[in-house]
């Protein structure tokens, strides 16, 4: 993301904080997702909004003309702020709308709801079934069929917030794989709560008490609360592999054997 887009995103996130507490709802985020898909579907529309030569007032007027009768007051205000900013590219603009929508939905969720954990669980289910992954990812699938599939898969198994997020991601993937889509969304949702996500991979399940101790220790190191996603993978042989953002702490036996092989062949 270019420097102009980083500034635009910062101002867009600040606009969320300016809304009265409790005013942002799931519907606000859903409205923003829908508007982002409409903008994304029109090259001319998104081109005008992301063109630095287009005046801010012109962008604002365009947004209000197209969406004024269809969006809630808060959603329209946020979308106007986002679209009026200067973005480095059309894709950055769409990413900005998506991120603000995700943050709004995270803000509107009950305090005890872990959207990021639900997204992780859905991702694990999809990655374990190639047919399912193809069904939700294929560019040839009808949007209505994808929505129906997501609704069927998550009904009674995930919160309404997670269903809304996943539906949007499969409707507007923008060239991203489903795993990337879900990981990015979960990271943004966690960050809204000033948390990060640690993915812990081990050969066998880790006891909850051990996971909690690991979470506390890593949280002290990184200076923020962590949500732990546990992955069981027999290929790691033993030990742990921990990934937090771009950081990887690999203490698995598999990693040590690989290091040994490299030293022997050097």
């Amino acid at each position: 993301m270019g420097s102009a887009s980083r500034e635009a995103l910062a101002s867009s996130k600040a606009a969320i904080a300016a809304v009265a507490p409790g005013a942002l709802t799931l519907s606000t985020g859903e409205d923003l997702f829908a508007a982002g898909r409409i903008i994304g579907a029109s090259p001319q529309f998104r081109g005008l909004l992301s063109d630095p030569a287009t005046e801010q007032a012109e962008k604002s007027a365009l947004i209000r003309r197209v969406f004024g009768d269809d969006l809630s007051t808060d959603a329209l205000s946020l979308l106007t702020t986002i679209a009026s900013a200067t973005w480095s590219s059309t894709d950055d603009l769409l990413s900005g709308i998506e991120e603000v929508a995700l943050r709004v939905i995270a803000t509107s969720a009950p305090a005890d709801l872990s959207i990021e954990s639900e997204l992780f669980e859905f991702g694990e289910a999809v990655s374990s079934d190639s047919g399912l992954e193809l069904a939700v990812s294929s560019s040839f699938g009808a949007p209505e069929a994808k929505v129906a599939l997501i609704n069927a898969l998550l009904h009674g198994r995930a919160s309404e917030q997670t269903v809304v997020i996943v539906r949007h991601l499969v409707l507007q993937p923008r060239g991203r794989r489903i795993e990337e889509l879900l990981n990015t969304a979960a990271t943004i949702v966690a960050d809204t709560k000033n948390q990060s996500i640690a993915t812990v991979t081990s050969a066998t399940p880790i006891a909850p008490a051990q996971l909690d101790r690991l979470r506390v220790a890593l949280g002290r190191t990184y200076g923020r609360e962590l949500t732990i996603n546990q992955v069981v993978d027999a290929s790691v042989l033993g030990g742990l592999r921990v990934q937090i953002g771009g950081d990887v702490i690999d203490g698995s036996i598999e990693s040590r054997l690989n290091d040994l092989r490299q030293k022997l062949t050097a």
Side-chain angles (χ1 to χ4, degrees):
M1 187 175 278
S3 58
S5 291
R6 286 194 293 272
E7 291 179 12
L9 182 58
S11 65
S12 300
K13 288 159 62 176
I16 300 174
V19 178
L24 296 176
T25 65
L26 175 60
S27 294
T28 310
E30 201 165 7
D31 279 351
L32 288 170
F33 276 151
R37 293 194 296 271
I38 290 171
I39 293 170
S42 171
Q44 183 179 14
F45 195 3
R46 65 177 185 266
L48 279 170
L49 293 176
S50 59
D51 186 349
T54 306
E55 294 292 335
Q56 199 172 62
E58 185 180 349
K59 294 179 182 180
S60 179
L62 181 59
I63 289 294
R64 294 184 181 278
R65 186 163 65 249
V66 173
F67 297 108
D69 296 330
D70 300 317
L71 301 183
S72 65
T73 301
D74 287 326
L76 183 61
S77 176
L78 287 170
L79 183 62
T80 302
T81 298
I82 299 166
S84 298
T86 300
W87 298 86
S88 303
S89 68
T90 56
D91 195 61
D92 282 356
L93 167 64
L94 295 178
S95 291
I97 297 172
E98 183 173 281
E99 176 160 344
V100 170
L102 286 165
R103 290 180 179 277
V104 166
I105 290 173
T107 300
S108 72
D112 61 347
L113 175 61
S114 179
I115 298 172
E116 57 271 36
S117 295
E118 293 184 345
L119 291 172
F120 172 75
E121 289 171 8
F122 178 73
E124 287 290 282
V126 170
S127 64
S128 66
D129 187 327
S130 58
L132 179 56
E133 184 172 7
L134 180 62
V136 299
S137 303
S138 174
S139 59
F140 299 105
E144 298 81 5
K146 289 184 177 182
V147 168
L149 177 60
I150 295 304
N151 289 340
L153 289 170
L154 293 179
H155 178 69
R157 299 180 180 88
S159 64
E160 193 174 1
Q161 285 83 358
T162 297
V163 175
V164 167
I165 290 170
V166 176
R167 276 201 307 247
H168 167 74
L169 295 178
V170 301
L171 287 174
Q172 193 182 52
R174 304 198 330 270
R176 299 167 294 175
R177 292 179 59 86
I178 187 67
E179 181 180 10
E180 179 188 355
L181 290 166
L182 294 169
N183 286 343
T184 299
T187 298
I188 292 170
V189 168
D191 185 65
T192 303
K193 300 183 289 184
N194 196 33
Q195 296 180 0
S196 293
I197 296 174
T199 300
V200 179
T201 305
S202 60
T204 57
I206 303 171
Q210 290 177 298
L211 274 180
D212 193 55
R213 288 196 294 272
L214 179 62
R215 179 186 60 79
V216 172
L218 290 170
R220 284 198 296 265
T221 300
Y222 282 84
R224 66 188 327 197
E225 289 290 321
L226 291 174
T227 294
I228 300 287
N229 289 333
Q230 183 177 183
V231 177
V232 177
D233 181 356
S235 71
V236 303
L237 301 180
L240 297 177
R241 181 187 299 123
V242 180
Q243 181 166 354
I244 304 174
D247 294 347
V248 177
I249 306 167
D250 197 339
S252 66
I253 293 175
E254 177 196 22
S255 174
R256 292 175 220 163
L257 288 174
N258 286 336
D259 288 344
L260 181 59
R261 290 190 194 100
Q262 290 177 3
K263 291 176 182 176
L264 290 173
T265 57

